[in-house]
Amino acid sequence: MQKINSRLSWTLFLLLCVAGVFNAMDRPIIAILKPDMSADFGWTDADFGRLAFVTQMAAAFAFLFTGWLVDKLGVWRSMVVGVSTWSFAAMAHGWAMTAWHVVAARIGLGATEAVQTPLTIKTVATLFPANQRSFAFGVGTAIAGLGTLSLPFFIPIIAAAFGWRGALIFGGVAGFVTLALWLWFARRVTFDDGAEDENRDYSDDGAPYGPILADRRTWAIVIAKALSDATWWLINFWLPDFYRKTYGLTTEELAVPLAIAFLGSGSGALLAGWISTRLLEKGWSPNRVRKTVMLCSALVVLPLPLVLQLNSFWPVAVMMGVVMAGHQGFSLSIFSTITDVVPRSKVGRVTAFGAFMGNMGGALIQLVTGAVLTAGLGFTPLFIFAACSYLLALGWLHLLLPRIRRPGEA
C-alpha cells in the first residue's frame, strides 16, 4: 500500500471537491429552472418554498446519520457510498413525471448529499496538517464556487436540449465519472483517518453523539452554523427570484449576475483560507485567527439591506458577490474551528451535527421566505435579518467558546 504524499493528498481532495460540485449543483439548477418547473407543475412561490423546505429537511435529518457513518466507514468507503448514492438520486429526477415524483427525488437527493459535508471536513483533517487546513477549505470552496458559477451558462443549454430533467441527470452521470477517477488515484492509498489524538477532547462514552451533545463547544459551533447558514440558503436559493422580481431578468439574463455572486463566494473562501494559513504560520493563535476572520466576514455582510436602495442593477450584483464572499469566510472559519478542537475520530459527527443545524436554519428560512413573499412584504425584512445573522453567530460562538485552543496549547 502507498503512503500518501502532499501531491496525492491534493489530487484526491480536488477530485472530492469536483464530485461535491456535481452533488450540490441540483439546488442552483432548481433555482435557475424554476420557471420551467413551475410551468410544468403549476407551482407558486409558496409551493417552491415548500419544495426547498422538504429537500432541506431531508438533508438536515440525514446529517444525524451521515456524520456517524463517515466516522465509522472512514474516507475511502464514505467516498464510494456518498458519491454513488447522491448520483443515483440526482438521476432519479429523470423519471419524475408528477410533482410528487419530484418531491420523492428531492427527498432522496437531500438525504444522500448529506454525506458530502462531513466527508469533506474529515478528508481535510486526514490529509492535511493543521496549519494547512484553512487553505484547503478555501480551495475546496473556491472550486465549488467556480463550479456553481458556470451553471447559469451551461444549464440553460442542457435544459433547452434535454429539459430540466436532463440537466439533473447530467449531474448524476458526472458524479460517477469523478468517483471512478478518485478510485483510480486512491487504489493503493492507506488512509490514516483514525484518531491518534482520541483523548484530546470530548470523552467517549460509546454513544455516537452522547459526548458531543454534552459539550458546550459543540453548541457554540452548531448554533453559529445555524444562524449563518440561514442567510446562505436564503441567498443561494432565492437570489435568481430576487433578480427576476426586482429587475425583470429572464433565465438567460441571470447567467452573468449569478456568476458574479458565485465568483464572490469562491474568491472569499480562497482569500479567507489563504489569510488564515498565513496568519497561523506567522504565529497567531487559532483563536485570534478564527475570530478575526469571522468578524471581518460579518462586517462585509452587514450592508446587505442597502442593495434595496440602489437604483442600478450592476452595483447590486457586485454587492451580492461581496456578501457571498463574507459568508464563505465565516463558514470556513467555523469548519476550521471544528478541526482545531475535535479529535479526528469525531470530526464527521460534529461536522454533521453542525450541518444538521445549518440545514434546519436553512429549512426555516425557506418557509419564512415563501410566506413573506406571498404576503407581499418583499425582501426587506429578509435582508435585514441576513445582515445581522453573522454578528449574532459570532457573538454566540464567543460567548460559549471564549478561546479556541488546539491540543497542547496553554
Side-chain angles (χ1 to χ4, degrees):
M1 300 300 283
Q2 178 179 350
K3 182 176 176 59
I4 196 163
N5 55 47
S6 178
R7 179 179 295 182
L8 186 55
S9 293
W10 278 105
T11 299
L12 293 173
F13 178 64
L14 293 177
L15 284 171
L16 169 59
C17 293
V18 173
V21 170
F22 297 121
N23 174 22
M25 69 184 293
D26 66 285
R27 300 194 191 224
I29 286 176
I30 294 292
I32 292 168
L33 299 181
K34 177 189 172 189
D36 298 328
M37 298 183 71
S38 296
D40 277 358
F41 300 115
W43 288 337
T44 64
D45 282 340
D47 293 329
F48 206 65
R50 284 190 285 270
L51 180 67
F53 173 78
V54 166
T55 307
Q56 205 88 39
M57 290 297 287
F61 284 101
F63 275 121
L64 296 177
F65 173 73
T66 58
W68 170 84
L69 182 71
V70 169
D71 281 338
K72 186 76 172 177
L73 296 181
V75 171
W76 194 93
R77 287 181 292 177
S78 295
M79 181 74 179
V80 174
V81 171
V83 178
S84 298
T85 54
W86 76 57
S87 297
F88 273 125
M91 294 172 68
H93 287 76
W95 290 273
M97 303 306 297
T98 69
W100 284 110
H101 291 164
V102 176
V103 170
R106 300 304 289 173
I107 291 173
L109 192 55
T112 55
E113 71 181 9
V115 175
Q116 184 196 353
T117 300
L119 174 58
T120 299
I121 307 308
K122 191 173 185 73
T123 299
V124 170
T126 300
L127 297 182
F128 299 100
N131 282 353
Q132 292 183 15
R133 290 170 186 167
S134 293
F135 184 63
F137 287 136
V139 170
T141 307
I143 291 173
L146 289 173
T148 308
L149 183 154
S150 66
L151 295 181
F153 294 95
F154 75 81
I155 288 304
I157 297 173
I158 296 176
F162 303 105
W164 58 265
R165 296 176 180 85
L168 283 158
I169 290 174
F170 168 82
V173 173
F176 279 115
V177 172
T178 307
L179 175 60
L181 289 173
W182 190 93
L183 290 173
W184 171 260
F185 283 103
R187 66 192 183 281
R188 295 180 180 175
V189 171
T190 300
F191 290 93
D192 180 21
D193 47 13
E196 70 282 356
D197 52 359
E198 176 75 30
N199 295 319
R200 80 181 196 187
D201 217 344
Y202 296 105
S203 60
D204 193 347
D205 62 3
Y209 283 92
I212 294 170
L213 298 181
D215 197 293
R216 64 184 292 159
R217 286 162 291 189
T218 297
W219 294 101
I221 291 167
V222 302
I223 298 299
K225 188 83 175 127
L227 286 167
S228 57
D229 275 16
T231 293
W232 167 254
W233 291 119
L234 166 67
I235 296 175
N236 191 60
F237 199 85
W238 290 94
L239 185 58
D241 207 52
F242 170 69
Y243 285 152
R244 287 191 186 99
K245 285 182 166 62
T246 307
Y247 300 102
L249 270 60
T250 65
T251 298
E252 291 73 20
E253 291 170 336
L254 286 171
V256 173
L258 290 181
I260 291 172
F262 291 110
L263 179 62
S265 171
S267 300
L270 194 59
L271 179 61
W274 179 79
I275 289 174
S276 297
T277 296
R278 289 298 303 273
L279 292 176
L280 288 168
E281 290 174 345
K282 288 180 178 294
W284 283 37
S285 70
N287 183 70
R288 187 181 178 192
V289 171
R290 306 306 180 210
K291 291 178 181 176
T292 298
V293 173
M294 287 186 196
L295 177 60
C296 292
S297 300
L299 293 176
V300 163
V301 180
L302 193 59
L304 174 60
L306 296 180
V307 302
L308 299 169
Q309 307 303 317
L310 298 176
N311 295 322
S312 176
F313 169 72
W314 291 111
V316 172
V318 172
M319 180 61 194
M320 286 300 184
V322 172
V323 168
M324 298 283 264
H327 169 82
Q328 293 296 5
F330 198 95
S331 180
L332 177 147
S333 297
I334 291 179
F335 285 133
S336 297
T337 298
I338 293 173
T339 64
D340 287 331
V341 303
V342 179
R344 199 180 301 168
S345 67
K346 295 180 177 65
V347 163
R349 278 166 282 177
V350 175
T351 301
F353 187 52
F356 165 76
M357 295 297 290
N359 274 265
M360 292 298 287
L364 180 60
I365 201 67
Q366 303 297 3
L367 284 182
V368 170
T369 300
V372 167
L373 295 180
T374 300
L377 300 177
F379 285 89
T380 299
L382 300 168
F383 283 4
I384 290 174
F385 162 77
C388 301
S389 61
Y390 295 88
L391 287 174
L392 290 172
L394 177 57
W396 171 265
L397 185 139
H398 182 68
L399 178 65
L400 268 69
L401 191 56
R403 187 173 180 191
I404 297 168
R405 290 186 296 182
R406 291 177 180 164
E409 286 188 6

